[in-house]
Amino acid sequence: MTAELSSTQLAFRGAMANLSAGVGVVTTDGEHGRAGTTVTALCSVTDTPPTMAVCVNQSATAHDAFVANGRIGVNVLGQEQQDVALLFANATDIPREKRFDDERWDLVTHDVPVLEGATASLVGRISTVAQHGSHSVLFVEIDTVLTSSDVGGLVYFQREFHAVG
């Protein structure tokens, strides 16, 4: 049974829907399995060393694989990749074990799935996991950066995807 949300929680969710956010698919592979999930709570932390923060719900099926494998890819989606965002947000009928069957995924080169044609793909190791409420903040020290030009961006605003650029 799910607890009813307070008026402050509902207002907070409404306010956060007004915060435009880049869209990424975070991926991992390794001893604890291949997994991925769509996220909008991600940002740069510092370039010394290059580090990102990625927030993942602890109840997400991919969460434990991310933490246990320790190495993840952050694929920043372009405007033509809304289908990938929906797939990894559990918004399709495609089973989890088939999500990486798309030939756009490079499953070998970086030891984690990297989406070819993403606006950016950043690969690294999780250096710190901080838990707060329902989510974990994964601090990822980046060792590989790939970018694509002229693909435009994808943002999430008012609970919908929008192309940018």
Side-chain angles (χ1 to χ4, degrees):
M1 183 171 171
T2 306
E4 193 170 316
L5 297 176
S6 71
S7 61
T8 303
Q9 288 171 304
L10 290 170
F12 178 79
R13 286 185 177 192
M16 291 300 97
N18 289 324
L19 176 63
S20 297
V23 181
V25 171
V26 180
T27 60
T28 191
D29 201 354
E31 185 178 329
H32 298 277
R34 182 179 294 155
T37 193
T38 300
V39 300
T40 56
L42 65 158
C43 66
S44 64
V45 175
T46 181
D47 65 357
T48 310
T51 304
M52 293 187 72
V54 179
C55 300
V56 179
N57 194 312
Q58 294 169 20
S59 68
T61 56
H63 176 275
D64 292 346
F66 293 152
V67 173
N69 285 338
R71 187 161 174 78
I72 65 173
V74 180
N75 299 278
V76 181
L77 301 185
Q79 62 186 5
E80 301 296 325
Q81 296 168 326
Q82 182 175 331
D83 62 323
V84 178
L86 292 168
L87 178 64
F88 284 89
N90 299 323
T92 71
D93 293 331
I94 297 174
R96 282 181 173 74
E97 62 273 7
K98 302 252 184 222
R99 290 182 178 174
F100 292 102
D101 287 355
D102 186 316
E103 61 190 30
R104 293 178 288 180
W105 288 105
D106 175 352
L107 304 174
V108 178
T109 306
H110 303 284
D111 297 323
V112 298
V114 169
L115 184 64
E116 295 178 4
T119 300
S121 293
L122 303 104
V123 179
R125 67 172 185 80
I126 298 171
S127 61
T128 305
V129 177
Q131 296 181 339
H132 188 81
S134 60
H135 283 64
S136 291
V137 181
L138 311 177
F139 290 91
V140 184
E141 289 189 20
I142 303 300
D143 56 53
T144 301
V145 177
L146 308 165
T147 60
S148 296
S149 59
D150 301 324
V151 297
L154 185 67
V155 298
Y156 196 66
F157 176 73
Q158 284 290 314
R159 298 179 177 93
E160 292 182 5
F161 294 107
H162 303 274
V164 177

